[in-house]
Amino acid sequence: MAELLLVSRWLSAVPGFLTPKVGPGARVGFVPTASSIYDDRAWVDLDRTTLHEQGWSTVELDIEAMTSADMERALTTVDAVFVSGGNVFHLLAAMRRTGFADMLTTHVQAGLPYIGASAGACVIGADIEPLGLLDDPTEARGLDSTIGLGWIDEVIVPHADGIVSGPAVVDEVVRLYGKRFALRLIADDQAVLVSGSAVSIVSS
C-alpha cells in the first residue's frame, strides 16, 4: 500500500508522517534530480538541511549518475525516499530514462514511504501537462509523454497560494486545465497525505 506525503514547499509535516512508520533517525534516500539543470539549488539545500535538523540521515540518490544496480541497491537500504523540487518535466524525463520510475514505483507500492516536494509531489500524479505554466517543458531532454507515474488519479498543483509564481498563473492553470484534469491545488503551508486509497490535506 502506497504511503505518500506530497508537500508544496515546507517540510514540517515530515516527522508526523515518517516517525510512526520508520522510527526516529531513519535513512532517507534523497533525490535532487529535479534541480540538476539549475545553477542555483538553494531550495534543495534547504530541504536537505531541514531533514537533517529533523533528525533524519540522508543518502544521496543522484539517479542521473547511478547505475540501475546502484539505484536498486539503494532503494533496498533506505527507510524512505524524498524527491525534491525543481523542474517536473526534467524530473519525469530523468526518472523514465534511467529506469528509476519503475523501480521506485515497485518499492513504493510495496510500502516504502515516499515524500515529494513541489516537482517531487507533482511527478507521481496522473499527468504533468498542466504544470507547463509553472515549469518550462523545454528544459526536459527526451520527454515523449507528460503522463505521470500515476500513483494517484489527480494532478498536484503546488504553490497554489501564488507566493512562488503569482496567483494569476495558478488561476490560468485552473482555467485551462480544470475541466480536463482532476487538479489538487496545495498551498505552501499544506501537504497531501495519501495512505492507500485515502487522500487528505494536512498542514505543512
Side-chain angles (χ1 to χ4, degrees):
M1 181 175 71
E3 299 287 343
L4 318 175
L5 181 69
L6 311 174
V7 308
S8 178
R9 190 173 188 182
W10 309 120
L11 307 185
S12 59
V14 171
F17 170 73
L18 268 191
T19 303
K21 296 175 175 58
V22 300
R27 288 162 49 91
V28 177
F30 190 95
V31 182
T33 306
S35 67
S36 68
I37 54 177
Y38 302 126
D39 293 330
D40 181 6
R41 305 172 192 174
W43 64 90
V44 179
D45 295 334
L46 177 60
D47 284 350
R48 191 184 294 106
T49 298
T50 300
L51 291 174
H52 292 166
E53 290 174 346
Q54 291 175 344
W56 317 107
S57 63
T58 57
V59 178
E60 205 77 2
L61 302 184
D62 182 359
I63 65 173
E64 293 173 291
M66 298 171 74
T67 66
S68 294
D70 286 341
M71 287 187 285
E72 180 61 37
R73 188 177 304 111
L75 288 174
T76 63
T77 60
V78 297
D79 302 300
V81 170
F82 180 98
V83 179
S84 62
N87 185 301
V88 68
F89 296 91
H90 168 66
L91 175 61
L92 180 60
M95 291 177 79
R96 285 191 179 145
R97 186 171 63 248
T98 61
F100 188 68
D102 289 338
M103 287 184 213
L104 182 61
T105 297
T106 297
H107 283 270
V108 169
Q109 288 178 342
L112 182 69
Y114 177 91
I115 305 162
S118 193
C122 300
V123 75
I124 66 91
D127 206 300
I128 62 171
E129 180 186 345
L131 304 170
L133 297 182
L134 302 176
D135 291 342
D136 183 358
T138 67
E139 292 180 327
R141 176 170 64 89
L143 183 64
D144 56 6
S145 170
T146 60
I147 295 174
L149 301 188
W151 298 352
I152 62 174
D153 295 331
E154 300 172 335
V155 174
I156 298 294
V157 181
H159 317 303
D161 43 13
I163 295 174
V164 172
S165 58
V169 174
V170 178
D171 291 344
E172 189 70 354
V173 171
V174 173
R175 186 184 71 82
L176 291 177
Y177 297 103
K179 292 183 179 179
R180 288 179 52 203
F181 299 97
L183 304 179
R184 171 77 71 166
L185 276 65
I186 53 173
D188 283 345
D189 61 353
Q190 294 179 318
V192 178
L193 181 63
V194 180
S195 181
S197 59
V199 180
S200 59
I201 296 291
V202 297
S203 297
S204 182

